[in-house]
Amino acid sequence: MQLLDSFFKLKEHHTTVKTEVLAGFTTFLTMAYIVLVNPLILSSTGMDLNAVFVATCLAAALGTAIMGLVANYPMALAPGMGLNAYFTFTVVKGMGVHWQVALGAVFISGLVFLAVSLLKVREAIVNAIPQSLKFSISAGVGMFLAIIALKNAGVITSHPVTYLTLGDVHNPTTLLAILGFFLIVALEYRRIHGSIIIGILVVTALSILLGLSKFEGIVAPVPSMAPTLMKMDLHGAANIGLLGVVFVFFFVDLFDTTGTLIGVSHRAGLLDKDGKLPRLQRALLADSIAITVGAVMGTSSTTAYIESAAGTAVGGRTGLTATVVAILFLACLWLSPLAKTVPPYATAPALCYVAVLMARGLAEIEWHDLTESAPAVMTALAMPFTFSIADGIAFGFISYAVIKILAGRFRDLKPAVLVIAALWIFKLAMF
């Protein structure tokens, strides 16, 4: 215990081993779905499902371990939702690119990531984000979590006219998810430790008892990774026609990770008095390395997960939380049946509760200054409604720069903000 306290600086962060371990389990349970969903999405390109499953677990474990052991942050990483869809449906199926070539593009984007991280370019970008946008990113990430959770719970569903509408609230799984949310909030109000994980486990247990889901077992052999290991085609990915693909992988992951780091860190109180993230370069290196190694093993881009906020909500403040998550991802190699036991509607209440906590960021925006509040609100709203953290940040930077210029507040703008806004306009116009 003394060694853990010294290495992760637990007392300095006002936390304990017990709290950090609980936070790690909570984060893992909210994002364990990725070890099942990512292989399903990527396998539709022709990739071997079992090999992608192993690659997903290993890439998540590696990136999260680096985040915990090197950067000492309670953030978890895994192959990103959205980026895997872009990989599959836009690049491979839409453009007719072989999956080996697409993996090569991911690998190259990872190398670019690594270079700009070592040169502190990414750090400069993160530190250039205005305070009002940092607050709104936190709230926007919370809203993004909420819309994912409500969809997984069946509370909302798509509609051809209104886009979103009320789901089937008579469905037993939807009712269980709603009950789980009520339970988590009530337990948290009573200051009962582990409220989030209790809520997840109660909903899972009730689901099994009611016959809505089944206990899948515990142990299974580890599949072979040979069908995807070292199969990326770098020569094909270096083709001039795929530069746009590499750019999109790089740009979207850059701002997905940035938004998640800022949003989760702000809610956990990890930003310093100037609104900056200490040890930022180490944190940024974690996903850079994970992207590159993940492509070698056979998975799409790895990124920081907004579900990390579930762990910080129960007190996770150091890299010990991330280390626990990394160990659990490694255990998933043998415990894949157990990971299948927790249904999506069991983790939805946890994400909804975290969304409530993260919405507090809106209270810290300078509402009296429209040139600050308007871009902040646009950022927060765009994230859930475009279903993309990166696009929400794009709306924020562009509106912040344009509004400041038109309002005659040009002096408020840092050069980096103008450059980033211009790059986003270029990206939206060209890709």
Side-chain angles (χ1 to χ4, degrees), residues 321-377:
T321 294
T323 304
V324 171
V325 177
I327 292 170
L328 291 172
F329 269 120
L330 284 177
C332 261
L333 292 170
W334 292 272
L335 303 177
S336 56
L338 198 58
K340 296 177 185 177
T341 299
V342 180
Y345 53 84
T347 60
L351 300 183
C352 276
Y353 171 67
V354 172
V356 172
L357 298 182
M358 298 188 77
R360 296 176 186 170
L362 292 173
E364 301 181 54
I365 295 170
E366 296 180 52
W367 290 102
H368 64 279
D369 185 347
L370 269 175
T371 65
E372 296 287 336
S373 60
V377 172

Side-chain angles (χ1 to χ4, degrees), residues 207-219:
S207 180
I208 294 171
L209 289 173
L210 293 172
L212 301 173
S213 61
K214 62 180 182 178
F215 181 67
E216 298 284 352
I218 300 177
V219 180

Side-chain angles (χ1 to χ4, degrees), residues 276-399:
K276 296 180 180 180
L277 198 60
R279 308 180 306 283
L280 178 58
Q281 187 183 29
R282 298 181 190 179
L284 296 176
L285 281 172
D287 70 323
S288 305
I289 296 170
I291 290 170
T292 308
V293 178
V296 172
M297 293 187 291
T299 183
S300 53
S301 300
T302 300
T303 187
Y305 259 61
I306 53 177
E307 283 86 350
S308 303
T312 59
V314 299
R317 292 294 180 271
T318 74
L320 181 54
T321 294
T323 304
V324 171
V325 177
I327 292 170
L328 291 172
F329 269 120
L330 284 177
C332 261
L333 292 170
W334 292 272
L335 303 177
S336 56
L338 198 58
K340 296 177 185 177
T341 299
V342 180
Y345 53 84
T347 60
L351 300 183
C352 276
Y353 171 67
V354 172
V356 172
L357 298 182
M358 298 188 77
R360 296 176 186 170
L362 292 173
E364 301 181 54
I365 295 170
E366 296 180 52
W367 290 102
H368 64 279
D369 185 347
L370 269 175
T371 65
E372 296 287 336
S373 60
V377 172
M378 287 300 298
T379 302
L381 291 177
M383 285 186 188
F385 293 126
T386 63
F387 214 71
S388 168
I389 294 174
D391 287 341
I393 294 176
F395 273 82
F397 268 101
I398 294 170
S399 60

Side-chain angles (χ1 to χ4, degrees), residues 121-405:
V121 174
R122 290 179 73 189
E123 189 172 346
I125 291 172
V126 174
N127 289 333
I129 299 176
Q131 280 286 74
S132 59
L133 293 190
K134 287 181 178 177
F135 296 142
S136 64
I137 286 170
S138 175
V141 167
M143 293 181 190
F144 186 46
L145 274 174
I147 204 166
I148 291 172
L150 293 172
K151 177 181 177 294
N152 288 345
V155 176
I156 60 173
T157 189
S158 60
H159 191 280
V161 178
T162 61
Y163 304 112
L164 287 176
T165 190
L166 183 67
D168 181 9
V169 293
H170 300 101
N171 191 312
T173 61
T174 302
L175 292 174
L176 279 180
I178 294 171
L179 173 64
F181 175 71
F182 293 161
L183 178 62
I184 289 172
V185 173
L187 291 175
E188 191 63 28
Y189 178 78
R190 291 173 175 270
R191 300 185 183 279
I192 295 175
H193 294 298
S195 59
I196 291 179
I197 199 167
I198 290 171
I200 293 172
L201 295 176
V202 166
V203 172
T204 300
L206 288 174
S207 180
I208 294 171
L209 289 173
L210 293 172
L212 301 173
S213 61
K214 62 180 182 178
F215 181 67
E216 298 284 352
I218 300 177
V219 180
V222 179
S224 170
M225 198 167 54
T228 60
L229 183 63
M230 294 289 289
K231 292 296 191 294
M232 69 276 190
D233 182 354
L234 296 179
H235 185 267
N239 186 295
I240 191 71
L242 287 179
L243 285 181
V245 173
V246 174
F247 179 80
V248 171
F249 277 132
F250 169 76
F251 214 62
V252 173
D253 196 48
L254 167 64
F255 285 95
D256 262 350
T257 298
T258 298
T260 301
L261 281 172
I262 291 174
V264 175
S265 298
H266 172 252
R267 187 64 263 145
L270 298 175
L271 300 179
D272 63 21
K273 58 183 177 61
D274 298 318
K276 296 180 180 180
L277 198 60
R279 308 180 306 283
L280 178 58
Q281 187 183 29
R282 298 181 190 179
L284 296 176
L285 281 172
D287 70 323
S288 305
I289 296 170
I291 290 170
T292 308
V293 178
V296 172
M297 293 187 291
T299 183
S300 53
S301 300
T302 300
T303 187
Y305 259 61
I306 53 177
E307 283 86 350
S308 303
T312 59
V314 299
R317 292 294 180 271
T318 74
L320 181 54
T321 294
T323 304
V324 171
V325 177
I327 292 170
L328 291 172
F329 269 120
L330 284 177
C332 261
L333 292 170
W334 292 272
L335 303 177
S336 56
L338 198 58
K340 296 177 185 177
T341 299
V342 180
Y345 53 84
T347 60
L351 300 183
C352 276
Y353 171 67
V354 172
V356 172
L357 298 182
M358 298 188 77
R360 296 176 186 170
L362 292 173
E364 301 181 54
I365 295 170
E366 296 180 52
W367 290 102
H368 64 279
D369 185 347
L370 269 175
T371 65
E372 296 287 336
S373 60
V377 172
M378 287 300 298
T379 302
L381 291 177
M383 285 186 188
F385 293 126
T386 63
F387 214 71
S388 168
I389 294 174
D391 287 341
I393 294 176
F395 273 82
F397 268 101
I398 294 170
S399 60
Y400 189 89
V402 173
I403 289 172
K404 287 287 186 181
I405 292 171

Side-chain angles (χ1 to χ4, degrees), residues 9 15 31 34 38 41 49 57 70 97 102 105 143 180 197 220 226 244 253 268 296 313 319 325 343 363 412 425 431:
K9 297 180 173 59
T15 185
M31 63 182 289
I34 194 59
N38 193 55
I41 292 175
L49 185 143
C57 292
V70 178
V97 174
M143 293 181 190
I197 199 167
D253 196 48
V296 172
V325 177
D412 291 353
I425 293 172
F431 303 108

